[in-house]
Amino acid sequence: MNRRRAARVGNDMEVELNLALGSVYDYGTKHELLFEEIDTEPCQYIVAMLPYYRQIPHPYKTNGLIPVRLVYLTTIALWPFFEPIDGKTLNRAMLPE
């Protein structure tokens, strides 16, 4: 599977800073989630990519920034087709476009 090919599902969600920066959504963790755009009931997903962080301008505070963590998920069925990531296999071609 190509990690660069991804489709956005679900809306951005504001969470506590410790959740966004913590290990709950680290690579390889499993989650039961419901995305109303594609699911009729909660499904099992696995985080398929290392954390990807960026900052965006705060909409109300001048010179303020908001940390953003992008979470890349895959279904349990597709997970076995992804090449495992370790310190030796991560390369620039795997990062989101």
Side-chain angles (χ1 to χ4, degrees):
M1 288 300 221
N2 183 343
R3 284 185 168 88
R4 293 191 82 177
R5 292 183 57 206
R8 182 183 178 137
V9 178
N11 296 315
D12 292 343
M13 191 168 79
E14 185 174 336
V15 298
E16 294 293 324
L17 186 60
N18 60 349
L19 178 61
L21 301 179
S23 62
V24 172
Y25 289 99
D26 276 359
Y27 170 72
T29 57
K30 295 180 184 178
H31 304 275
E32 185 169 308
L33 303 168
L34 172 65
F35 293 103
E36 294 178 353
E37 299 87 347
I38 60 172
D39 298 326
T40 56
E41 58 187 49
C43 295
Q44 293 286 319
Y45 291 93
I46 297 178
V47 178
M49 186 62 179
L50 298 174
Y52 183 74
Y53 297 99
R54 63 188 177 102
Q55 294 182 334
I56 61 172
H58 195 286
Y60 309 116
K61 296 181 182 177
T62 304
N63 298 326
L65 295 172
I66 298 173
V68 175
R69 178 178 184 167
L70 300 177
V71 178
Y72 289 81
L73 302 166
T74 190
T75 61
I76 297 284
L78 291 178
W79 176 243
F81 298 103
F82 282 85
E83 177 96 19
I85 296 176
D86 61 28
K88 298 173 189 160
T89 58
L90 182 64
N91 63 58
R92 192 169 184 79
M94 296 168 78
L95 298 175
E97 296 178 330

mmCIF file with all atom_site columns, all heavy atoms in Angstrom, residues 48-66:
data_model
loop_
_atom_site.group_PDB
_atom_site.id
_atom_site.type_symbol
_atom_site.label_atom_id
_atom_site.label_alt_id
_atom_site.label_comp_id
_atom_site.label_asym_id
_atom_site.label_entity_id
_atom_site.label_seq_id
_atom_site.pdbx_PDB_ins_code
_atom_site.Cartn_x
_atom_site.Cartn_y
_atom_site.Cartn_z
_atom_site.occupancy
_atom_site.B_iso_or_equiv
_atom_site.pdbx_formal_charge
_atom_site.auth_seq_id
_atom_site.auth_comp_id
_atom_site.auth_asym_id
_atom_site.auth_atom_id
_atom_site.pdbx_PDB_model_num
ATOM 1   N N   . ALA A 1 48 ? -1.888  4.207  10.718 1.00 0.00 ? 48 ALA A N   1
ATOM 2   C CA  . ALA A 1 48 ? -0.983  3.622  9.728  1.00 0.00 ? 48 ALA A CA  1
ATOM 3   C C   . ALA A 1 48 ? 0.245   4.465  9.416  1.00 0.00 ? 48 ALA A C   1
ATOM 4   O O   . ALA A 1 48 ? 1.023   4.116  8.531  1.00 0.00 ? 48 ALA A O   1
ATOM 5   C CB  . ALA A 1 48 ? -1.756  3.358  8.432  1.00 0.00 ? 48 ALA A CB  1
ATOM 6   N N   . MET A 1 49 ? 0.431   5.567  10.130 1.00 0.00 ? 49 MET A N   1
ATOM 7   C CA  . MET A 1 49 ? 1.568   6.442  9.840  1.00 0.00 ? 49 MET A CA  1
ATOM 8   C C   . MET A 1 49 ? 2.068   7.056  11.134 1.00 0.00 ? 49 MET A C   1
ATOM 9   O O   . MET A 1 49 ? 1.293   7.247  12.079 1.00 0.00 ? 49 MET A O   1
ATOM 10  C CB  . MET A 1 49 ? 1.132   7.543  8.864  1.00 0.00 ? 49 MET A CB  1
ATOM 11  C CG  . MET A 1 49 ? 2.229   8.427  8.373  1.00 0.00 ? 49 MET A CG  1
ATOM 12  S SD  . MET A 1 49 ? 3.457   7.482  7.468  1.00 0.00 ? 49 MET A SD  1
ATOM 13  C CE  . MET A 1 49 ? 4.573   8.755  7.001  1.00 0.00 ? 49 MET A CE  1
ATOM 14  N N   . LEU A 1 50 ? 3.351   7.383  11.165 1.00 0.00 ? 50 LEU A N   1
ATOM 15  C CA  . LEU A 1 50 ? 3.919   8.073  12.316 1.00 0.00 ? 50 LEU A CA  1
ATOM 16  C C   . LEU A 1 50 ? 3.244   9.431  12.473 1.00 0.00 ? 50 LEU A C   1
ATOM 17  O O   . LEU A 1 50 ? 2.682   9.966  11.515 1.00 0.00 ? 50 LEU A O   1
ATOM 18  C CB  . LEU A 1 50 ? 5.430   8.256  12.110 1.00 0.00 ? 50 LEU A CB  1
ATOM 19  C CG  . LEU A 1 50 ? 6.236   6.964  12.003 1.00 0.00 ? 50 LEU A CG  1
ATOM 20  C CD1 . LEU A 1 50 ? 7.683   7.275  11.646 1.00 0.00 ? 50 LEU A CD1 1
ATOM 21  C CD2 . LEU A 1 50 ? 6.167   6.163  13.279 1.00 0.00 ? 50 LEU A CD2 1
ATOM 22  N N   . PRO A 1 51 ? 3.304   10.012 13.672 1.00 0.00 ? 51 PRO A N   1
ATOM 23  C CA  . PRO A 1 51 ? 2.666   11.322 13.869 1.00 0.00 ? 51 PRO A CA  1
ATOM 24  C C   . PRO A 1 51 ? 3.187   12.356 12.879 1.00 0.00 ? 51 PRO A C   1
ATOM 25  O O   . PRO A 1 51 ? 4.382   12.391 12.572 1.00 0.00 ? 51 PRO A O   1
ATOM 26  C CB  . PRO A 1 51 ? 3.069   11.707 15.291 1.00 0.00 ? 51 PRO A CB  1
ATOM 27  C CG  . PRO A 1 51 ? 3.444   10.446 15.956 1.00 0.00 ? 51 PRO A CG  1
ATOM 28  C CD  . PRO A 1 51 ? 3.957   9.538  14.881 1.00 0.00 ? 51 PRO A CD  1
ATOM 29  N N   . TYR A 1 52 ? 2.282   13.158 12.380 1.00 0.00 ? 52 TYR A N   1
ATOM 30  C CA  . TYR A 1 52 ? 2.631   14.236 11.469 1.00 0.00 ? 52 TYR A CA  1
ATOM 31  C C   . TYR A 1 52 ? 2.075   15.518 12.073 1.00 0.00 ? 52 TYR A C   1
ATOM 32  O O   . TYR A 1 52 ? 0.859   15.684 12.169 1.00 0.00 ? 52 TYR A O   1
ATOM 33  C CB  . TYR A 1 52 ? 2.043   13.975 10.083 1.00 0.00 ? 52 TYR A CB  1
ATOM 34  C CG  . TYR A 1 52 ? 2.421   15.002 9.048  1.00 0.00 ? 52 TYR A CG  1
ATOM 35  C CD1 . TYR A 1 52 ? 3.707   15.033 8.516  1.00 0.00 ? 52 TYR A CD1 1
ATOM 36  C CD2 . TYR A 1 52 ? 1.504   15.933 8.604  1.00 0.00 ? 52 TYR A CD2 1
ATOM 37  C CE1 . TYR A 1 52 ? 4.064   15.972 7.565  1.00 0.00 ? 52 TYR A CE1 1
ATOM 38  C CE2 . TYR A 1 52 ? 1.850   16.879 7.650  1.00 0.00 ? 52 TYR A CE2 1
ATOM 39  C CZ  . TYR A 1 52 ? 3.129   16.894 7.139  1.00 0.00 ? 52 TYR A CZ  1
ATOM 40  O OH  . TYR A 1 52 ? 3.474   17.836 6.197  1.00 0.00 ? 52 TYR A OH  1
ATOM 41  N N   . TYR A 1 53 ? 2.967   16.373 12.532 1.00 0.00 ? 53 TYR A N   1
ATOM 42  C CA  . TYR A 1 53 ? 2.568   17.605 13.219 1.00 0.00 ? 53 TYR A CA  1
ATOM 43  C C   . TYR A 1 53 ? 2.845   18.812 12.337 1.00 0.00 ? 53 TYR A C   1
ATOM 44  O O   . TYR A 1 53 ? 3.797   18.831 11.567 1.00 0.00 ? 53 TYR A O   1
ATOM 45  C CB  . TYR A 1 53 ? 3.360   17.780 14.516 1.00 0.00 ? 53 TYR A CB  1
ATOM 46  C CG  . TYR A 1 53 ? 3.115   16.704 15.531 1.00 0.00 ? 53 TYR A CG  1
ATOM 47  C CD1 . TYR A 1 53 ? 4.003   15.652 15.681 1.00 0.00 ? 53 TYR A CD1 1
ATOM 48  C CD2 . TYR A 1 53 ? 1.995   16.741 16.342 1.00 0.00 ? 53 TYR A CD2 1
ATOM 49  C CE1 . TYR A 1 53 ? 3.786   14.661 16.618 1.00 0.00 ? 53 TYR A CE1 1
ATOM 50  C CE2 . TYR A 1 53 ? 1.768   15.750 17.288 1.00 0.00 ? 53 TYR A CE2 1
ATOM 51  C CZ  . TYR A 1 53 ? 2.669   14.718 17.422 1.00 0.00 ? 53 TYR A CZ  1
ATOM 52  O OH  . TYR A 1 53 ? 2.447   13.739 18.345 1.00 0.00 ? 53 TYR A OH  1
ATOM 53  N N   . ARG A 1 54 ? 1.999   19.813 12.510 1.00 0.00 ? 54 ARG A N   1
ATOM 54  C CA  . ARG A 1 54 ? 2.227   21.111 11.879 1.00 0.00 ? 54 ARG A CA  1
ATOM 55  C C   . ARG A 1 54 ? 1.527   22.156 12.723 1.00 0.00 ? 54 ARG A C   1
ATOM 56  O O   . ARG A 1 54 ? 0.831   21.825 13.685 1.00 0.00 ? 54 ARG A O   1
ATOM 57  C CB  . ARG A 1 54 ? 1.725   21.129 10.436 1.00 0.00 ? 54 ARG A CB  1
ATOM 58  C CG  . ARG A 1 54 ? 0.240   20.930 10.283 1.00 0.00 ? 54 ARG A CG  1
ATOM 59  C CD  . ARG A 1 54 ? -0.130  20.766 8.805  1.00 0.00 ? 54 ARG A CD  1
ATOM 60  N NE  . ARG A 1 54 ? -1.544  20.516 8.675  1.00 0.00 ? 54 ARG A NE  1
ATOM 61  C CZ  . ARG A 1 54 ? -2.447  21.435 8.304  1.00 0.00 ? 54 ARG A CZ  1
ATOM 62  N NH1 . ARG A 1 54 ? -2.069  22.642 7.989  1.00 0.00 ? 54 ARG A NH1 1
ATOM 63  N NH2 . ARG A 1 54 ? -3.724  21.124 8.216  1.00 0.00 ? 54 ARG A NH2 1
ATOM 64  N N   . GLN A 1 55 ? 1.720   23.409 12.396 1.00 0.00 ? 55 GLN A N   1
ATOM 65  C CA  . GLN A 1 55 ? 1.053   24.494 13.114 1.00 0.00 ? 55 GLN A CA  1
ATOM 66  C C   . GLN A 1 55 ? 0.309   25.353 12.110 1.00 0.00 ? 55 GLN A C   1
ATOM 67  O O   . GLN A 1 55 ? 0.779   25.556 10.991 1.00 0.00 ? 55 GLN A O   1
ATOM 68  C CB  . GLN A 1 55 ? 2.062   25.341 13.880 1.00 0.00 ? 55 GLN A CB  1
ATOM 69  C CG  . GLN A 1 55 ? 2.735   24.580 15.001 1.00 0.00 ? 55 GLN A CG  1
ATOM 70  C CD  . GLN A 1 55 ? 3.693   25.460 15.772 1.00 0.00 ? 55 GLN A CD  1
ATOM 71  O OE1 . GLN A 1 55 ? 4.218   26.439 15.257 1.00 0.00 ? 55 GLN A OE1 1
ATOM 72  N NE2 . GLN A 1 55 ? 3.921   25.116 17.022 1.00 0.00 ? 55 GLN A NE2 1
ATOM 73  N N   . ILE A 1 56 ? -0.846  25.840 12.544 1.00 0.00 ? 56 ILE A N   1
ATOM 74  C CA  . ILE A 1 56 ? -1.626  26.746 11.710 1.00 0.00 ? 56 ILE A CA  1
ATOM 75  C C   . ILE A 1 56 ? -1.877  28.015 12.510 1.00 0.00 ? 56 ILE A C   1
ATOM 76  O O   . ILE A 1 56 ? -1.859  27.987 13.742 1.00 0.00 ? 56 ILE A O   1
ATOM 77  C CB  . ILE A 1 56 ? -2.957  26.110 11.251 1.00 0.00 ? 56 ILE A CB  1
ATOM 78  C CG1 . ILE A 1 56 ? -3.845  25.741 12.458 1.00 0.00 ? 56 ILE A CG1 1
ATOM 79  C CG2 . ILE A 1 56 ? -2.693  24.896 10.365 1.00 0.00 ? 56 ILE A CG2 1
ATOM 80  C CD1 . ILE A 1 56 ? -5.243  25.300 12.093 1.00 0.00 ? 56 ILE A CD1 1
ATOM 81  N N   . PRO A 1 57 ? -2.105  29.122 11.825 1.00 0.00 ? 57 PRO A N   1
ATOM 82  C CA  . PRO A 1 57 ? -2.380  30.374 12.540 1.00 0.00 ? 57 PRO A CA  1
ATOM 83  C C   . PRO A 1 57 ? -3.659  30.274 13.373 1.00 0.00 ? 57 PRO A C   1
ATOM 84  O O   . PRO A 1 57 ? -4.649  29.671 12.940 1.00 0.00 ? 57 PRO A O   1
ATOM 85  C CB  . PRO A 1 57 ? -2.549  31.402 11.428 1.00 0.00 ? 57 PRO A CB  1
ATOM 86  C CG  . PRO A 1 57 ? -1.896  30.789 10.233 1.00 0.00 ? 57 PRO A CG  1
ATOM 87  C CD  . PRO A 1 57 ? -2.042  29.310 10.387 1.00 0.00 ? 57 PRO A CD  1
ATOM 88  N N   . HIS A 1 58 ? -3.636  30.842 14.553 1.00 0.00 ? 58 HIS A N   1
ATOM 89  C CA  . HIS A 1 58 ? -4.820  30.879 15.403 1.00 0.00 ? 58 HIS A CA  1
ATOM 90  C C   . HIS A 1 58 ? -5.828  31.843 14.788 1.00 0.00 ? 58 HIS A C   1
ATOM 91  O O   . HIS A 1 58 ? -5.467  32.933 14.357 1.00 0.00 ? 58 HIS A O   1
ATOM 92  C CB  . HIS A 1 58 ? -4.437  31.334 16.816 1.00 0.00 ? 58 HIS A CB  1
ATOM 93  C CG  . HIS A 1 58 ? -5.491  31.075 17.824 1.00 0.00 ? 58 HIS A CG  1
ATOM 94  N ND1 . HIS A 1 58 ? -6.646  31.822 17.891 1.00 0.00 ? 58 HIS A ND1 1
ATOM 95  C CD2 . HIS A 1 58 ? -5.588  30.139 18.786 1.00 0.00 ? 58 HIS A CD2 1
ATOM 96  C CE1 . HIS A 1 58 ? -7.405  31.365 18.871 1.00 0.00 ? 58 HIS A CE1 1
ATOM 97  N NE2 . HIS A 1 58 ? -6.785  30.346 19.433 1.00 0.00 ? 58 HIS A NE2 1
ATOM 98  N N   . PRO A 1 59 ? -7.104  31.451 14.714 1.00 0.00 ? 59 PRO A N   1
ATOM 99  C CA  . PRO A 1 59 ? -8.085  32.320 14.037 1.00 0.00 ? 59 PRO A CA  1
ATOM 100 C C   . PRO A 1 59 ? -8.409  33.606 14.794 1.00 0.00 ? 59 PRO A C   1
ATOM 101 O O   . PRO A 1 59 ? -8.897  34.556 14.194 1.00 0.00 ? 59 PRO A O   1
ATOM 102 C CB  . PRO A 1 59 ? -9.326  31.433 13.923 1.00 0.00 ? 59 PRO A CB  1
ATOM 103 C CG  . PRO A 1 59 ? -9.159  30.410 14.976 1.00 0.00 ? 59 PRO A CG  1
ATOM 104 C CD  . PRO A 1 59 ? -7.678  30.200 15.149 1.00 0.00 ? 59 PRO A CD  1
ATOM 105 N N   . TYR A 1 60 ? -8.109  33.653 16.099 1.00 0.00 ? 60 TYR A N   1
ATOM 106 C CA  . TYR A 1 60 ? -8.504  34.829 16.890 1.00 0.00 ? 60 TYR A CA  1
ATOM 107 C C   . TYR A 1 60 ? -7.342  35.553 17.538 1.00 0.00 ? 60 TYR A C   1
ATOM 108 O O   . TYR A 1 60 ? -7.486  36.701 17.934 1.00 0.00 ? 60 TYR A O   1
ATOM 109 C CB  . TYR A 1 60 ? -9.499  34.427 17.977 1.00 0.00 ? 60 TYR A CB  1
ATOM 110 C CG  . TYR A 1 60 ? -10.653 33.622 17.451 1.00 0.00 ? 60 TYR A CG  1
ATOM 111 C CD1 . TYR A 1 60 ? -10.851 32.320 17.859 1.00 0.00 ? 60 TYR A CD1 1
ATOM 112 C CD2 . TYR A 1 60 ? -11.533 34.157 16.503 1.00 0.00 ? 60 TYR A CD2 1
ATOM 113 C CE1 . TYR A 1 60 ? -11.905 31.565 17.372 1.00 0.00 ? 60 TYR A CE1 1
ATOM 114 C CE2 . TYR A 1 60 ? -12.586 33.412 16.007 1.00 0.00 ? 60 TYR A CE2 1
ATOM 115 C CZ  . TYR A 1 60 ? -12.764 32.117 16.446 1.00 0.00 ? 60 TYR A CZ  1
ATOM 116 O OH  . TYR A 1 60 ? -13.800 31.377 15.947 1.00 0.00 ? 60 TYR A OH  1
ATOM 117 N N   . LYS A 1 61 ? -6.204  34.904 17.690 1.00 0.00 ? 61 LYS A N   1
ATOM 118 C CA  . LYS A 1 61 ? -5.066  35.513 18.376 1.00 0.00 ? 61 LYS A CA  1
ATOM 119 C C   . LYS A 1 61 ? -4.001  35.915 17.364 1.00 0.00 ? 61 LYS A C   1
ATOM 120 O O   . LYS A 1 61 ? -3.506  35.087 16.617 1.00 0.00 ? 61 LYS A O   1
ATOM 121 C CB  . LYS A 1 61 ? -4.460  34.535 19.387 1.00 0.00 ? 61 LYS A CB  1
ATOM 122 C CG  . LYS A 1 61 ? -5.391  34.175 20.507 1.00 0.00 ? 61 LYS A CG  1
ATOM 123 C CD  . LYS A 1 61 ? -4.706  33.220 21.468 1.00 0.00 ? 61 LYS A CD  1
ATOM 124 C CE  . LYS A 1 61 ? -5.655  32.802 22.573 1.00 0.00 ? 61 LYS A CE  1
ATOM 125 N NZ  . LYS A 1 61 ? -5.024  31.818 23.470 1.00 0.00 ? 61 LYS A NZ  1
ATOM 126 N N   . THR A 1 62 ? -3.642  37.182 17.376 1.00 0.00 ? 62 THR A N   1
ATOM 127 C CA  . THR A 1 62 ? -2.593  37.662 16.498 1.00 0.00 ? 62 THR A CA  1
ATOM 128 C C   . THR A 1 62 ? -1.286  36.974 16.872 1.00 0.00 ? 62 THR A C   1
ATOM 129 O O   . THR A 1 62 ? -0.944  36.889 18.040 1.00 0.00 ? 62 THR A O   1
ATOM 130 C CB  . THR A 1 62 ? -2.437  39.189 16.635 1.00 0.00 ? 62 THR A CB  1
ATOM 131 O OG1 . THR A 1 62 ? -3.707  39.793 16.381 1.00 0.00 ? 62 THR A OG1 1
ATOM 132 C CG2 . THR A 1 62 ? -1.402  39.725 15.667 1.00 0.00 ? 62 THR A CG2 1
ATOM 133 N N   . ASN A 1 63 ? -0.576  36.493 15.902 1.00 0.00 ? 63 ASN A N   1
ATOM 134 C CA  . ASN A 1 63 ? 0.700   35.789 16.083 1.00 0.00 ? 63 ASN A CA  1
ATOM 135 C C   . ASN A 1 63 ? 0.569   34.492 16.879 1.00 0.00 ? 63 ASN A C   1
ATOM 136 O O   . ASN A 1 63 ? 1.567   33.927 17.292 1.00 0.00 ? 63 ASN A O   1
ATOM 137 C CB  . ASN A 1 63 ? 1.747   36.689 16.746 1.00 0.00 ? 63 ASN A CB  1
ATOM 138 C CG  . ASN A 1 63 ? 2.061   37.895 15.886 1.00 0.00 ? 63 ASN A CG  1
ATOM 139 O OD1 . ASN A 1 63 ? 2.052   37.808 14.658 1.00 0.00 ? 63 ASN A OD1 1
ATOM 140 N ND2 . ASN A 1 63 ? 2.328   39.019 16.517 1.00 0.00 ? 63 ASN A ND2 1
ATOM 141 N N   . GLY A 1 64 ? -0.648  34.020 17.124 1.00 0.00 ? 64 GLY A N   1
ATOM 142 C CA  . GLY A 1 64 ? -0.838  32.755 17.828 1.00 0.00 ? 64 GLY A CA  1
ATOM 143 C C   . GLY A 1 64 ? -0.853  31.593 16.854 1.00 0.00 ? 64 GLY A C   1
ATOM 144 O O   . GLY A 1 64 ? -1.230  31.739 15.686 1.00 0.00 ? 64 GLY A O   1
ATOM 145 N N   . LEU A 1 65 ? -0.412  30.434 17.323 1.00 0.00 ? 65 LEU A N   1
ATOM 146 C CA  . LEU A 1 65 ? -0.400  29.229 16.497 1.00 0.00 ? 65 LEU A CA  1
ATOM 147 C C   . LEU A 1 65 ? -1.144  28.109 17.209 1.00 0.00 ? 65 LEU A C   1
ATOM 148 O O   . LEU A 1 65 ? -1.165  28.045 18.438 1.00 0.00 ? 65 LEU A O   1
ATOM 149 C CB  . LEU A 1 65 ? 1.041   28.785 16.211 1.00 0.00 ? 65 LEU A CB  1
ATOM 150 C CG  . LEU A 1 65 ? 1.881   29.742 15.380 1.00 0.00 ? 65 LEU A CG  1
ATOM 151 C CD1 . LEU A 1 65 ? 3.327   29.271 15.342 1.00 0.00 ? 65 LEU A CD1 1
ATOM 152 C CD2 . LEU A 1 65 ? 1.330   29.858 13.974 1.00 0.00 ? 65 LEU A CD2 1
ATOM 153 N N   . ILE A 1 66 ? -1.724  27.227 16.415 1.00 0.00 ? 66 ILE A N   1
ATOM 154 C CA  . ILE A 1 66 ? -2.424  26.059 16.940 1.00 0.00 ? 66 ILE A CA  1
ATOM 155 C C   . ILE A 1 66 ? -1.680  24.820 16.445 1.00 0.00 ? 66 ILE A C   1
ATOM 156 O O   . ILE A 1 66 ? -1.477  24.666 15.243 1.00 0.00 ? 66 ILE A O   1
ATOM 157 C CB  . ILE A 1 66 ? -3.880  26.009 16.441 1.00 0.00 ? 66 ILE A CB  1
ATOM 158 C CG1 . ILE A 1 66 ? -4.650  27.229 16.917 1.00 0.00 ? 66 ILE A CG1 1
ATOM 159 C CG2 . ILE A 1 66 ? -4.561  24.729 16.886 1.00 0.00 ? 66 ILE A CG2 1
ATOM 160 C CD1 . ILE A 1 66 ? -6.034  27.341 16.325 1.00 0.00 ? 66 ILE A CD1 1
#
